[in-house]
Every structure is written in structure tokens, then in C-alpha cells.
């Protein structure tokens, strides 16, 4: 192999091992054996396991960032559904290594690995904001998107441990959580609220957003629910807040 080919091979082999086992359980000898190379040869290309781990993670981060790319066509919730399908497929195939890192429990975690993960998060945030296609993104909206990305990480990592629901159900759940978070943010931001009507107008009844709206509407069939919600909505702005109401 050429120098570049051998280096790429070592990175690919290391990434495969780190994907199947926590990084602290993978040694340079393991990587050398899987690559059909000697231990000194691995050290010729990388000063140690940490450097090889960070480079492998950087490549994986580039792949993960690319999975957030989606043509800006069709209903937004359906675009996000496809994105989350690719994201969860990635999480599933790189489970142990990424779980150890994202949970902060890996001895291989460092400033370098944290920077890679942060870059993936920023790329995901910018992709989501681009799909919203708003004239500008308020601090509140950017915070909503970043919080949803963090929630997707936590939820998917917990799913790796328990596998308590089918993957497709988790995929739908995460997209619907984003739609709900977007609606809540719009309730506080008039400019975003003005854009929300066109967002829902583009959605389809069988899409994630349409199914969410039907599920929420179904809550009003619960005895007493409609009356309770109507009473809350009728409360005027002059009523005391929970902080002002006292014990």
C-alpha cells in the first residue's frame, strides 16, 4: 500500500473496532492485528491510540454530519423523519464507542474528541435551521434546535441500552418532539408564529406532523379534558402567575 492508502486503512479499521467496543477496550495491538499490520507500523503513522481514536472519530463525525443533509423539498417533518432515520442508523452501527464518548464515560475523551462532537452538533443545528428557511433565527429558536439535538442524543443512547421501542417508533417520536418544541417556541415569538401556518399548510395528514396533530386533537375526547383546557385558556393576562400567587 501507498502511505496514504495504509493510513486510510488504519483509520477505517480503528473506526470499525471503536464502533463495536468502547475505546478503552481497544488496544493498538487489536488495531494492528485487524489491519494485518505490525504494532511498530501503526506507531509509524500515529503517535498513539489517542491520536488514532481522534482521527477515526473525526471521520465518523464527517459521516454523521453528512447524514443531516437533505434536499429542501416536501414537508418539513417528512424531511426530518428521513434525517433521523439516517441518524439513528448511524447511532446503532457505531453504538458502543459513541455511547462511551457522548456519555462522558470514556477514558479516551479529550478536548480533541469533544471538539469533533461539538462540530457535529453545530453542523446539525445549521442544517435544521436551514430547513426552516426563516429570514432570521432568533436566539430562542436556536436554543430550541440545540436542545432538541441534545435530547435526540440522550434518547437514542438510552435506546441503545434498552431497545424498548422499535427504531421506527423512536424515529417518529423524535421528529414529533421537534414539531412540538417548534410550536411552543412560536407561542412566545410572534414572527415565528406567523411562519407556522405555512409550515402546517405544507404538511400531509399521514406525515409526522399530521399524525401528531391528530393525536393531540384526540386528547380532547378524554372526559373533562376539553373543559379543563378551555378554563386554562380563558384565564386573562391579569391573573396572578404561580410565582405571585403565594402559598
Amino acid at each position: 500500500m501507498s502511505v496514504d492508502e495504509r493510513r486510510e486503512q488504519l483509520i477505517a479499521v480503528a473506526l470499525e473496532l471503536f464502533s463495536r467496543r468502547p475505546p478503552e477496550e481497544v488496544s493498538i495491538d487489536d488495531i494492528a492485528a485487524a489491519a494485518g499490520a505490525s504494532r511498530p507500523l501503526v506507531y509509524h503513522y500515529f503517535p498513539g491510540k489517542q491520536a488514532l481514536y481522534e482521527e477515526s472519530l473525526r471521520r465518523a463525525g464527517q459521516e454523521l454530519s453528512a447524514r443531516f443533509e437533505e434536499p429542501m423539498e416536501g414537508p418539513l417533518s417528512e424531511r426530518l423523519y428521513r434525517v433521523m432515520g439516517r441518524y439513528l442508523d448511524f447511532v446503532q452501527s457505531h453504538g458502543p464507542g459513541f455511547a462511551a464518548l457522548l456519555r462522558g464515560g470514556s477514558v479516551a475523551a479529550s478536548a480533541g474528541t469533544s471538539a469533533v462532537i461539538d462540530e457535529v452538533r453545530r453542523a446539525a443545528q445549521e442544517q435544521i435551521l436551514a430547513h426552516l428557511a426563516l429570514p432570521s433565527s432568533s436566539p430562542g429558536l436556536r436554543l430550541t434546535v440545540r436542545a432538541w439535538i441534545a435530547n435526540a442524543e440522550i434518547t437514542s443512547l438510552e435506546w441503545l441500552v434498552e431497545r424498548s421501542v422499535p427504531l421506527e417508533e423512536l424515529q417518529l417520536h423524535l421528529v414529533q418532539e421537534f414539531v412540538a418544541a417548534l410550536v411552543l417556541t412560536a407561542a412566545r415569538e410572534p414572527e415565528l408564529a406567523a411562519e407556522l401556518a405555512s409550515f402546517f399548510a405544507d404538511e400531509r395528514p399521514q406525515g409526522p406532523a399530521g399524525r401528531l396533530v391528530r393525536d393531540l386533537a384526540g386528547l380532547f375526547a378524554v372526559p373533562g379534558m376539553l373543559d379543563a383546557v378551555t378554563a386554562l385558556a380563558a384565564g386573562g393576562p391579569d391573573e396572578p402567575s404561580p410565582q405571585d400567587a403565594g402559598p
Side-chain angles (χ1 to χ4, degrees):
M1 293 184 183
S2 69
V3 171
D4 290 341
E5 288 173 339
R6 174 62 80 178
R7 189 173 188 277
E8 291 298 317
Q9 183 216 19
L10 291 173
I11 293 171
V13 167
L15 179 57
E16 174 63 23
L17 291 176
F18 290 135
S19 297
R20 291 191 278 110
R21 290 151 56 187
E24 55 267 31
E25 295 181 7
V26 178
S27 68
I28 286 291
D29 288 333
D30 293 332
I31 296 169
S38 66
R39 179 185 176 93
L41 181 62
V42 177
Y43 278 112
H44 174 74
Y45 286 91
F46 298 94
K49 187 181 80 170
Q50 184 66 32
L52 185 50
Y53 177 60
E54 289 184 11
E55 185 57 37
S56 301
L57 185 63
R58 189 171 293 107
R59 297 299 178 86
Q62 292 170 352
E63 179 186 343
L64 181 54
S65 295
R67 297 194 181 203
F68 279 90
E69 297 178 2
E70 172 74 20
M72 296 185 186
E73 302 171 353
L76 175 62
S77 72
E78 295 181 23
R79 286 182 250 162
L80 292 182
Y81 185 79
R82 291 190 290 270
V83 167
M84 292 313 297
R86 294 192 296 269
Y87 170 79
L88 292 172
D89 176 69
F90 183 89
V91 169
Q92 184 173 225
S93 60
H94 294 78
F98 273 78
L101 178 68
L102 292 178
R103 290 183 187 279
S106 172
V107 297
S110 67
T113 58
S114 297
V116 172
I117 294 300
D118 284 342
E119 182 59 33
V120 172
R121 289 168 177 157
R122 283 193 295 272
Q125 182 184 41
E126 294 308 314
Q127 284 287 336
I128 300 301
L129 290 171
H131 278 284
L132 291 175
L134 299 172
S136 62
S137 301
S138 69
L141 178 59
R142 298 185 72 87
L143 182 60
T144 294
V145 174
R146 190 63 182 259
W148 175 72
I149 292 170
N151 177 65
E153 288 180 2
I154 294 170
T155 303
S156 58
L157 289 175
E158 287 300 309
W159 178 85
L160 278 173
V161 175
E162 300 178 359
R163 314 271 178 155
S164 56
V165 300
L167 193 63
E168 295 77 10
E169 184 178 331
L170 176 62
Q171 181 181 352
L172 176 64
H173 176 76
L174 288 172
V175 174
Q176 291 181 330
E177 280 195 343
F178 177 79
V179 175
L182 187 64
V183 171
L184 181 59
T185 304
R188 300 166 179 159
E189 300 188 7
E191 292 184 2
L192 178 58
E195 301 285 343
L196 211 57
S198 61
F199 160 70
F200 280 112
D202 290 338
E203 293 292 320
R204 295 189 285 201
Q206 297 307 316
R211 294 167 66 179
L212 174 63
V213 169
R214 285 199 303 281
D215 289 343
L216 293 175
L219 287 176
F220 293 114
V222 175
M225 181 67 74
L226 182 59
D227 291 340
V229 172
T230 301
L232 287 174
D238 294 329
E239 290 192 2
S241 66
Q243 293 87 348
D244 299 332

